[in-house]
Amino acid sequence: MLINQIARSTQLQETELLRLAQNASRHYKLYDIPKRNGEPRRIAHPSRELKAIQRWIVKVIIQRLPIHDAATAYRKGGGIRVNAERHRKSLYTNRYDFANFFPSFRRNHVQAFIQSEGKKIGIILNEEDIEFVGNIVCRYDRLTIGAPSSPSITNAMMFPFDQMLFNYCVERDLIYSRYADDIFISANKPDQLVNLEAKIADVKRNVPHLSIRLNRKKTTHLSKKYHRSITGVVITPQHRLSIGRNRKREIKALIHRWINGKLDTFEVSYMRGLLAFSRDIEPSFEEALRAKYGQQRIEEILRNPELSDTPGWPTEGHIDDEFPF
C-alpha cells in the first residue's frame, strides 16, 4: 500500500497520514500576490507536513511519468531562457493563455490519470491509495497555486496535449512550446499562424482528463517588427535575447538607490533576483553594470548571502535567493 510506504519513508504513523489527508484542504496558508495587471493572485501554501508528502508523491510517482520536451517550465534543463530560445530565430509568434490553469485540473481527473498512467509503468495503486493521493495534492478538489506537486502533475497530464499540438506544428513548419499556462507558436510567415485557437481547442477535447480553456482576451500576436516578449524575455529584431530596456532601467535605478542606502530588505532581494535574471538572459548587460558601478559592488549584490539594505552592513538572517519576478 502506498500509505504504508510513505509512513516508512517519513517516519509518520499511518493514522497520522490518513488524518492529514482527510483534512488536507484546511492545511494551507492563503495569501495574495499582485499579477502584472495589478489584480490579486491567490496562493495556497501547504503546511510543512503536507508539502513533504506532496514532494514524496512527485518523486516516487509523478517524476516517472513522461513530460514532453515542448514543456519548458518546472523541469530540469528548462526555464524561461530555454523557452524563449526556441522562438528566437522566427519572425512571428502567437501567445495563448489558459485561464485559471492549476485550478482547472480537477481531483477526479487527477486521480484517474495517476491511476491509469501509473499502471503503464508498473505502479499499481488501489482505490484507497488513489483517494489518499487526491486528498493530498488537491485543495477542495482542485490543484492549487502554491503546492509543489501542482507543476509536475500538470506537466505530466499535459503530455498528450503537448504531443498532439507539437506534431501538428512540426508538420506545418511551426515552432511550439508551452511554459505552464502559456503556449507559444512561431512561424516565419504570418499566414501560417491562422486558426490556431480552434486547433488548440480541438486538441484539448481529445484529451479526456483536461478541463482547461483558453483565455481568448490574452491571445497576442507578436512580430519581428517589434520586440517580442516571451515569458518575460525580449527577442529583439536582431534575433537576440534581452531583458528589455524597461527592465534595464529598473535594475540601474535599484542599484543606484542601494548604493545610497535607500532600499529596504524586500527591495534588495528583488534587485538580486533581477540581476540573476539578467545574467542568465543577457550577460553583456552585467558586464556593462560592472563597468558602470564597479566589480566589487556587483559581486556583493550577486554573491553576498547577507546583503543588507545598506551596502556593507549585513541584515539579521539571510535573504532568499529566489524571487518570483
Side-chain angles (χ1 to χ4, degrees), residues 131-183:
E131 183 76 9
F132 177 84
V133 170
N135 282 333
I136 290 295
V137 302
C138 294
R139 180 176 181 267
Y140 296 120
D141 296 328
R142 296 177 182 271
L143 295 185
T144 181
I145 303 172
S149 50
S150 294
S152 296
I153 292 172
T154 54
N155 265 351
M157 292 181 70
M158 290 290 286
F159 177 81
F161 174 92
D162 291 331
Q163 182 74 68
M164 284 188 278
L165 201 51
F166 176 82
N167 291 343
Y168 174 87
C169 289
V170 168
E171 291 170 0
R172 289 157 181 79
D173 199 26
L174 303 174
I175 301 166
Y176 166 76
S177 72
R178 180 181 60 81
Y179 192 91
D181 57 347
D182 286 328
I183 285 176

Side-chain angles (χ1 to χ4, degrees), residues 36 95 184 220 222 226-235:
R36 291 178 184 175
R95 172 184 176 268
F184 298 92
T220 54
L222 312 169
Y226 307 100
H227 288 188
R228 288 177 290 161
S229 180
I230 295 181
T231 49
V233 179
V234 172
I235 300 179

